């Protein structure tokens, strides 16, 4: 395995350099925009994070991912070694919203740890990864190291089941994947967990919350971050801000009016707002109308279709939207599921957060250490930002990104994430002796 660790360090070095070239970076940024409509800066962010990730694993850094440890045994010649061990054949299934960043980071993590992956990217956006694989081949990736399949979800599901049940080579792919990484919707994630008998790592959808604490600071900055978290990429991030809890101190400020102004400056011409690829306009507006039937609720802004566009009706096209719902109404059983489909009493808010199913990202916007401590101590979200500059989106390559509270949870980006998802622990106990020359067979026990 040693030469392969060195080889992947070299591949990462070359690929990182390629993505740093303005011509190449612009090519991938524009390609992302063609299939997953988002602003140039948001699409460029994917390329930048991917390039920085590859830089992180140049040289000997791939080798260091496989660092093992030894513990002395009970007698001379005995010692136990803990190794990070690859699964072998694995599968990777990634979504439409990050056509470059998610598949590259997970694919390279799988390869770094010595696995043979089959990669399936959402068919709407798979051209991005097809081009990236060609770049990786140019940088030295052996063509036989990755199988790349273009199909719809049902076909991939059938393929995985056949590979597991038949234990045969299907479509020239390595049979019987021992682990499947799935990033995408919770509904599909739960189906895969059953179909694949639990041999999965999941980074499923997040319903991500933000709490604005009792200390009010930097109103303009806070409004801008809320706008970015909720409406950049038209809200199509697993880390997008879905629910905003405000301490009553914030209601005395102009935060909501500033957030409305920022949301309303988004426009189709620069793709700062764009089509929603998985939900139709009608279904989103129907959801808004159901929320508005809750007593005390009100439309803060948006709630109307986009105008003057040619977006097909199978996609969603509505203005950035926010609906206010009273906290006591959210907590009613018949409303909670509705509100969380897509602060006066902190304990009630914490109860609401605990009832949510997807604990991906969260933000606690406060510089009050006791308040932050209380919220973090009683919540479980895997990537939680705390402090004045807390956000829910925009994860770089320098920290873990993934859910918590679920043993199937997958991480992305860091050495810890790669080791958790793409290797298992294997213990080898070396016991060479010697055996004493005076040793005799003991009595039966």
């Amino acid at each position: 395995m040693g030469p392969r660790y060195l080889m992947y360090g070299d591949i990462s070095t070359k690929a990182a350099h390629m993505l740093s070239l303005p011509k190449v970076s612009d090519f991938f940024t524009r390609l992302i925009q063609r299939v997953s409509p988002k602003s140039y800066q948001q699409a460029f962010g994917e390329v930048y994070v991917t390039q920085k990730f590859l830089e992180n694993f140049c040289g000997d850094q791939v080798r260091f991912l496989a660092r093992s440890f030894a513990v002395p045994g009970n007698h001379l010649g005995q010692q136990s070694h803990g190794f990070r061990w690859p699964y072998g054949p694995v599968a990777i299934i990634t979504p439409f919203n990050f056509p470059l960043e998610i598949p590259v980071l997970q694919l390279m993590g799988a390869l770094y740890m010595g696995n043979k992956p089959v990669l399936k990217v959402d068919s709407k956006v798979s051209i991005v990864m097809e081009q990236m694989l060609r770049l990786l081949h140019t940088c030295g990736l052996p063509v036989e190291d990755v199988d790349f399949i273009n199909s719809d979800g049902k076909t991939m599901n059938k393929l995985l089941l056949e590979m597991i049940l038949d234990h045969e080579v299907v479509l020239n792919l390595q049979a019987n994947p021992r682990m499947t990484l799935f990033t995408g919707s919770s509904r599909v994630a739960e189906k895969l967990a059953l179909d694949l008998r639990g041999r999965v790592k999941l980074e499923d959808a997040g319903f991500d919350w933000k709490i604005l604490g009792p200390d009010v600071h930097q109103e303009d900055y806070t409004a801008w971050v809320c706008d970015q978290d909720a409406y950049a990429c038209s809200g199509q991030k697993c880390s997008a801000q879905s629910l905003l809890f405000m301490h009553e101190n914030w209601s005395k400020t102009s935060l909501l009016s500033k957030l409305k102004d920022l949301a309303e400056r988004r426009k189709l011409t620069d793709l700062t707002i764009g089509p929603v690829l998985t939900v139709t306009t009608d279904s989103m507006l129907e959801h808004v109308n159901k929320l508005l039937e809750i007593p005390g609720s009100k439309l803060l802004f948006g709630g109307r279709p986009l105008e003057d566009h040619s977006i097909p009706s199978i996609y969603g096209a509505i203005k950035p939207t926010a609906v206010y719902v009273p906290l006591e109404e959210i907590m009613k059983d018949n409303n909670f599921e509705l509100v969380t489909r897509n602060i006066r009493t902190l304990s009630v808010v914490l109860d609401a957060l605990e009832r949510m199913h997807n604990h991906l990202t969260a933000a606690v916007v406060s510089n009050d250490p006791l308040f932050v401590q209380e919220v973090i101590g009683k919540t479980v979200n895997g990537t939680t930002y705390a402090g004045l500059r807390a956000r829910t989106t925009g994860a770089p390559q320098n920290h873990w990104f993934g859910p918590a509270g679920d043993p199937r949870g997958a991480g992305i980006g860091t050495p810890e994430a790669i080791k958790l998802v793409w290797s298992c622990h294997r213990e080898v106990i070396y016991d060479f002796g010697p055996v004493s020359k005076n040793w005799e067979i003991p009595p039966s026990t």
Side-chain angles (χ1 to χ4, degrees):
M1 213 26 225
R4 289 184 63 81
Y5 291 134
L6 298 177
M7 179 184 76
Y8 274 103
D10 288 343
I11 292 168
S12 297
T13 302
K14 293 170 184 172
H17 172 67
M18 288 288 281
L19 286 183
S20 73
L21 301 175
K23 183 178 179 181
V24 177
S25 170
D26 181 69
F27 170 82
F28 278 103
T29 300
R30 294 293 187 191
L31 190 56
I32 290 167
Q33 283 192 292
R34 284 171 178 261
V35 292
S36 183
K38 55 179 87 171
S39 70
Y40 187 92
Q41 197 57 39
Q42 287 286 316
F44 173 75
E46 268 196 73
V47 182
Y48 179 80
V49 167
T50 303
Q51 187 236 332
K52 288 298 177 186
F53 168 85
L54 290 166
E55 283 183 1
N56 284 344
F57 294 98
C58 296
D60 283 324
Q61 296 307 311
V62 178
R63 187 208 313 259
F64 291 154
L65 287 171
R67 187 190 301 271
S68 61
F69 63 85
V71 178
N74 293 337
H75 48 257
L76 181 64
Q78 185 188 71
Q79 56 182 241
S80 56
H81 281 254
F83 293 99
R84 297 312 305 178
W85 210 258
Y87 291 102
V90 295
I92 302 168
I93 303 172
T94 63
F96 73 93
N97 54 349
F98 288 90
L100 183 73
E101 182 180 338
I102 294 177
V104 172
L105 269 58
Q106 293 293 18
L107 174 69
M108 297 308 288
L111 291 166
Y112 292 157
M113 297 311 296
N115 298 287
K116 171 65 185 288
V118 54
L119 172 65
K120 189 266 179 197
V121 180
D122 186 291
S123 53
K124 291 187 290 292
V125 302
S126 55
I127 189 174
V128 179
M129 202 55 206
E130 188 263 348
Q131 289 293 299
M132 186 64 198
L133 278 170
R134 292 180 185 276
L135 183 148
L136 289 169
H137 289 154
T138 302
C139 294
L141 175 71
V143 292
E144 64 274 11
D145 277 18
V146 179
D147 292 317
F148 184 57
I149 184 169
N150 286 300
S151 72
D152 61 17
K154 289 181 180 178
T155 303
M156 186 64 187
N157 188 257
K158 184 170 184 287
L159 174 69
L160 287 171
L161 289 175
E162 286 181 359
M163 292 164 79
I164 285 175
L165 296 176
D166 294 346
H167 292 264
E168 295 175 357
V169 175
V170 180
L171 298 180
N172 296 319
L173 303 176
Q174 184 82 38
N176 192 20
R178 296 200 182 105
M179 206 283 290
T180 295
L181 176 281
F182 175 78
T183 306
S185 81
S186 301
R187 179 183 56 80
V188 176
E190 293 299 337
K191 174 177 166 49
L192 273 178
L194 290 172
D195 289 347
L196 304 181
R197 304 172 188 175
R199 292 196 292 266
V200 294
K201 284 289 186 184
L202 306 176
E203 191 183 314
D204 56 357
F207 192 88
D208 306 305
W209 49 266
K210 178 183 288 179
I211 295 176
L212 303 184
D215 47 325
V216 174
H217 310 279
Q218 299 287 336
E219 202 177 304
D220 286 344
Y221 181 82
T222 303
W224 174 76
V225 174
C226 285
D227 172 66
Q228 286 290 103
D229 283 346
Y231 304 119
C233 302
S234 304
Q236 297 175 96
K237 297 184 183 183
C238 48
S239 55
Q241 172 188 303
S242 302
L243 198 57
L244 178 65
F245 294 95
M246 285 172 47
H247 189 278
E248 61 185 1
N249 291 349
W250 283 94
S251 64
K252 301 168 188 172
T253 71
S254 55
L255 178 84
L256 288 179
S257 66
K258 288 179 176 177
L259 179 55
K260 178 176 185 286
D261 291 342
L262 290 169
E264 289 179 346
R265 71 177 183 169
R266 295 181 172 274
K267 50 189 184 292
L268 274 170
T269 50
D270 60 5
L271 287 177
T272 49
I273 191 71
V276 176
L277 300 188
T278 53
V279 189
T280 65
T281 301
D282 288 345
S283 62
M284 285 191 285
L285 293 178
E286 181 185 353
H287 179 60
V288 170
N289 290 331
K290 285 181 179 177
L291 290 174
L292 293 174
E293 290 172 6
I294 296 173
S297 67
K298 59 185 177 183
L299 182 69
L300 296 177
F301 52 84
R304 301 195 310 278
L306 291 175
E307 298 153 356
D308 303 322
H309 66 80
S310 56
I311 298 169
S313 59
I314 58 168
Y315 302 125
I318 73 167
K319 294 178 182 291
T321 298
V323 177
Y324 168 79
V325 181
L327 180 58
E328 62 270 19
E329 292 293 333
I330 290 177
M331 295 306 291
K332 292 180 180 176
D333 286 339
N334 56 334
N335 288 336
F336 188 82
E337 189 174 343
L338 173 65
V339 173
T340 59
R341 221 182 84 199
N342 185 57
I343 276 180
R344 276 168 301 174
T345 308
L346 182 58
S347 62
V348 178
V349 173
L350 295 174
D351 287 345
L353 304 181
E354 182 59 29
R355 286 171 64 178
M356 295 177 192
H357 298 296
N358 310 113
H359 300 290
L360 186 54
T361 70
V364 189
V365 182
S366 173
N367 278 353
D368 178 341
L370 294 178
F371 179 82
V372 171
Q373 181 175 280
E374 177 80 358
V375 176
I376 290 179
K378 294 182 177 177
T379 54
V380 71
N381 293 58
T383 305
T384 305
Y385 300 88
L388 172 65
R389 298 186 63 164
R391 61 192 196 277
T392 65
T393 65
Q397 70 298 330
N398 61 17
H399 69 63
W400 163 284
F401 182 86
D406 187 332
R408 304 167 301 177
I412 191 170
T414 61
E416 291 77 19
I418 292 171
K419 285 182 273 193
L420 173 87
V421 175
W422 295 115
S423 68
C424 57
H425 182 94
R426 185 182 183 193
E427 195 85 2
V428 177
I429 297 90
Y430 292 104
D431 205 348
F432 295 111
V435 176
S436 170
K437 292 179 181 179
N438 301 323
W439 184 86
E440 295 179 358
I441 298 175
S444 298
T445 59

